[in-house]
Amino acid sequence: MAVADRNRLEQEALLHLDKKNMDGALQSYLQILKIDPKDRRTRQKVGELYLKLNRPQEAQKHLKEVADGLMRDGQHRQAVAVLRQLVAMLPEEPTLQMDMGDCYLSAGYPNDAKPCYDQAMRLFIGLLQPVKAAKAAAKVAELTPGDATAKLKVAELLEQANDFLSALKVYQEVMAEFRRRGRHDDAGRVADLAVKLKPDDLSLILEAAAARVDGQEWKKALAHLQVAFKMAPAEPRVLDLLSQAFEGNEQPEKAVKVLQELAKSCGERKDVPAEADALRRLVRLGVDDAETKARLEIAEQKLARLERRLSALQIYQPAAEQELRVQVRAEVLAKYGLPDRAEEELKKGLEATPDSVPLRITLAELLVDLDRKEEAAALVAQILPLAGAEAGLVRDRLAVLRNQDVAALGGADMEEVIDDEGDAPGGQEDGDDVIPDDVIPDGPDLQPVDPDAMDEIIDDEEATDPGSRARARAPDPLAEAEARGDRAAAAGDMQGAILAWREVMAARPGDERILQKIAALRSQARAAAPAPPAPAPPAP
């Protein structure tokens, strides 16, 4: 009976429409909705009739219900048509703009979605709703990943919404992007904004100082570093940045005193690379006493051992092309700041070839770079029995990762290990890890100050314009690496050729020409290898 009534009412509605009787058609369609409230097509016709009859509120109610149902069912293209009608009636309603942006995006039209999100953001800002405005701004930023301004808008709105942790996270992402592009001045400005949110956060202060040091804005860097030094006078990163700022600000005497403290602190922490760097800088600044030179020599010896990586060994060279491809892809991902993806790539490769020594070595050295030395040592221990003639070098690497003497691993034939516990000749007596008062003035000067007022603290001379110096054109490093590989291949040095060509592959992983050279060289090596001895005939 209900089906017959529905058909009769629909026929009545069509007759009313033919006679231009909008009210009659509307009443017939409303009767159909009483019978079947889920009839979306009829509800849309009801909304459109209300619109023609200049009854916008009723039209909005029905059309909104239709749009919501279409979105729930994943019919985003159809929903866009309905939402356009609603937006035309309610152009100042930001939620409709957000819904339309979501539908465009889900339907595969990101260029149409972006202006919707942008308009929603502006409307939410006008309504003083920063939380919702930040969500809309985040959508805009996702659709324009290279636009740092869009991300900064997200951070600004999160800050207005008192979501300081989220705002700080976005500021840090923008700083990292600016630094990656070499835009140090912009990174410094963003860092200053971040510090204002949390002025007692040492890591943020150091990020701001590092950005100013990278941009050679020595006065502004010192403004941050004075605060950081007050908070952590023995922290190596504070001392490192402070020494760079003093050196850049043409205050070598202060830089020397800070570097001496830095070298001492790094030595106590057994941070060999940082200790060696500090001692090198001291020598460069004219400190040439016997004690400093002796300490530097010992640090350089330790550093050479630490930097002796397994990737320099013959067993690192893959025997199969598939291994080479995995290895190169992982190295490129790590080089461009995606170590997680590099690790995933290597683990997938090891699932396919679990006995691959080259992939194990690549993964082990990646873990070392990620400061996961225990995991790296476990991998190196697995490699050791497979290292053959290079087992001694692998054993030494394992000892370094475990902070052990090589002899403890049975490496009596290895070179003598440097005693990390030994003191440098003529070492300084342990004392207070604080820089003398004549380096960092005490008192009110150590309070945060405006960077523009730094002239009262540090006498800074005008820096010369770096653009005024002519720069010689640097040779193409990739072309040089390829040529070096070609020469090594011609001379029969297979390992040297592959190492050189790998430099090209790290920058151009899709270079089939280089892959063909490597494959051809391996084929030649296999062809030149002596044939295995024929099996002995069976005994009679």
Side-chain angles (χ1 to χ4, degrees):
M1 186 67 177
V3 174
D5 289 343
R6 188 190 186 288
N7 291 337
R8 177 180 57 79
L9 289 168
E10 189 162 14
Q11 291 299 320
E12 287 179 4
L14 292 173
L15 288 173
H16 286 306
L17 288 174
D18 286 341
K19 296 176 182 179
K20 310 296 183 186
N21 181 4
M22 302 298 173
D23 280 318
L26 176 62
Q27 294 306 315
S28 296
Y29 281 129
L30 286 173
Q31 290 298 317
I32 293 174
L33 283 182
K34 287 183 180 179
I35 296 171
D36 185 5
K38 296 182 180 180
D39 188 337
R40 193 177 293 154
R41 183 173 60 86
T42 299
R43 190 172 295 281
Q44 185 171 352
K45 289 180 180 179
V46 167
E48 291 170 349
L49 284 170
Y50 273 129
L51 195 58
K52 290 177 181 178
L53 292 169
N54 199 25
R55 297 168 65 178
Q57 290 185 339
E58 290 95 332
Q60 292 162 19
K61 174 186 173 183
H62 288 278
L63 290 175
K64 184 68 169 66
E65 189 170 336
V66 171
D68 290 344
L70 290 169
M71 286 188 287
R72 278 196 305 271
D73 293 346
Q75 300 180 49
H76 300 106
R77 292 188 182 185
Q78 297 87 330
V80 166
V82 181
L83 286 167
R84 281 177 182 163
Q85 293 177 293
L86 286 166
V87 168
M89 288 185 283
L90 299 167
E92 302 300 315
E93 177 51 57
T95 55
L96 292 176
Q97 295 285 354
M98 286 291 289
D99 288 342
M100 193 152 68
D102 289 343
C103 286
Y104 272 130
L105 194 58
S106 297
Y109 298 100
N111 291 336
D112 293 315
K114 181 178 176 294
C116 297
Y117 290 132
D118 190 66
Q119 179 65 7
M121 176 190 71
R122 297 176 191 279
L123 292 171
F124 279 130
I125 290 173
L127 293 172
L128 303 180
Q129 297 181 12
V131 175
K132 293 181 178 179
K135 291 180 180 178
K139 292 284 190 179
V140 175
E142 288 173 12
L143 292 171
T144 53
D147 185 0
T149 306
K151 273 199 165 184
L152 285 174
K153 191 66 180 177
V154 177
E156 176 189 332
L157 290 166
L158 288 169
E159 189 175 344
Q160 291 177 15
N162 296 325
D163 188 354
F164 298 129
L165 290 178
S166 298
L168 282 173
K169 182 180 178 182
V170 177
Y171 279 136
Q172 288 170 325
E173 290 173 359
V174 175
M175 277 188 283
E177 178 64 19
F178 278 143
R179 282 197 297 269
R180 189 182 68 80
R181 297 183 191 177
R183 295 170 58 179
H184 303 298
D185 188 53
D186 290 331
R189 280 194 287 269
V190 176
D192 289 342
L193 293 173
V195 170
K196 287 179 182 177
L197 283 181
K198 204 171 181 183
D200 58 346
D201 189 317
L202 179 62
S203 63
L204 280 178
I205 295 171
L206 290 177
E207 282 196 45
R212 296 303 188 183
V213 166
D214 289 340
Q216 299 185 6
E217 298 177 274
W218 313 118
K219 290 181 182 179
K220 293 179 180 180
L222 285 167
H224 290 299
L225 289 167
Q226 287 177 350
V227 180
F229 180 80
K230 195 73 174 178
M231 296 169 66
E235 174 62 37
R237 195 176 180 211
V238 174
L239 298 173
D240 181 33
L241 290 170
L242 190 57
S243 66
Q244 292 182 58
F246 277 139
E247 190 174 350
N249 201 53
E250 297 185 0
Q251 295 175 284
E253 298 85 1
K254 290 185 178 181
V256 165
K257 292 179 180 180
V258 176
L259 282 170
Q260 288 170 338
E261 288 295 322
L262 176 60
K264 176 184 174 183
S265 176
C266 293
E268 292 170 350
R269 295 167 186 253
K270 300 193 183 302
D271 187 346
V272 178
E275 180 187 13
D277 181 66
L279 291 167
R280 286 192 208 105
R281 290 169 61 196
L282 279 169
V283 172
R284 192 180 69 241
L285 287 173
V287 179
D288 60 354
D289 59 279
E291 177 187 342
T292 301
K293 288 182 177 180
R295 291 173 63 194
L296 177 57
E297 183 179 353
I298 292 174
E300 294 281 16
Q301 290 172 358
K302 292 180 182 179
L303 187 59
R305 182 168 177 252
L306 285 172
E307 292 178 347
R308 190 184 298 131
R309 299 170 72 93
L310 297 180
S311 51
L313 303 184
Q314 181 63 37
I315 56 172
Y316 176 68
Q317 305 305 322
E321 184 175 336
Q322 182 58 32
E323 283 181 305
L324 176 64
R325 290 181 179 275
V326 172
Q327 195 179 63
V328 169
R329 278 198 298 268
E331 288 172 348
V332 171
L333 288 168
K335 177 181 177 182
Y336 286 97
L338 300 169
D340 293 341
R341 288 180 56 187
E343 182 179 355
E344 182 181 349
E345 186 80 23
L346 288 165
K347 287 182 176 177
K348 285 181 181 177
L350 282 169
E351 287 176 6
T353 54
D355 296 328
S356 172
V357 172
L359 295 187
R360 288 187 188 180
I361 289 176
T362 309
L363 179 56
E365 295 296 357
L366 175 66
L367 294 173
V368 171
D369 292 338
L370 295 174
D371 201 25
R372 291 158 60 184
K373 292 183 180 178
E374 290 184 8
E375 296 175 61
L379 266 175
V380 175
Q382 295 172 13
I383 295 165
L384 184 56
L386 308 173
E390 294 178 310
L393 295 171
V394 176
R395 188 181 296 111
D396 186 52
R397 185 65 170 154
L398 182 57
V400 169
L401 295 177
R402 289 178 172 173
N403 277 330
Q404 291 177 331
D405 192 301
V406 178
L409 295 174
D413 57 329
M414 296 296 295
E415 64 186 2
E416 182 179 357
V417 180
I418 297 169
D419 182 10
D420 286 344
E421 300 297 331
D423 295 326
Q428 297 177 3
E429 294 294 328
D430 290 341
D432 198 354
D433 288 331
V434 179
I435 298 178
D437 292 338
D438 60 338
V439 178
I440 300 288
D442 199 6
D445 285 347
L446 281 170
Q447 300 304 314
V449 295
D450 185 79
D452 294 328
M454 287 295 291
D455 286 331
E456 298 179 8
I457 299 174
I458 299 173
D459 182 15
D460 190 5
E461 297 181 6
E462 289 294 326
T464 57
D465 180 10
S468 63
R469 301 189 183 98
R471 293 178 174 84
R473 181 180 296 274
D476 182 359
L478 297 182
E480 286 188 349
E482 183 175 354
R484 192 166 67 252
D486 294 343
R487 290 193 297 271
D493 181 4
M494 179 178 173
Q495 182 177 359
I498 291 177
L499 286 174
W501 286 336
R502 189 186 298 278
E503 294 178 28
V504 183
M505 292 295 297
R508 299 199 302 261
D511 195 326
E512 292 292 336
R513 186 168 53 82
I514 299 297
L515 281 172
Q516 288 171 4
K517 287 185 179 185
I518 295 174
L521 187 60
R522 291 190 187 284
S523 297
Q524 292 173 11
R526 284 193 292 269

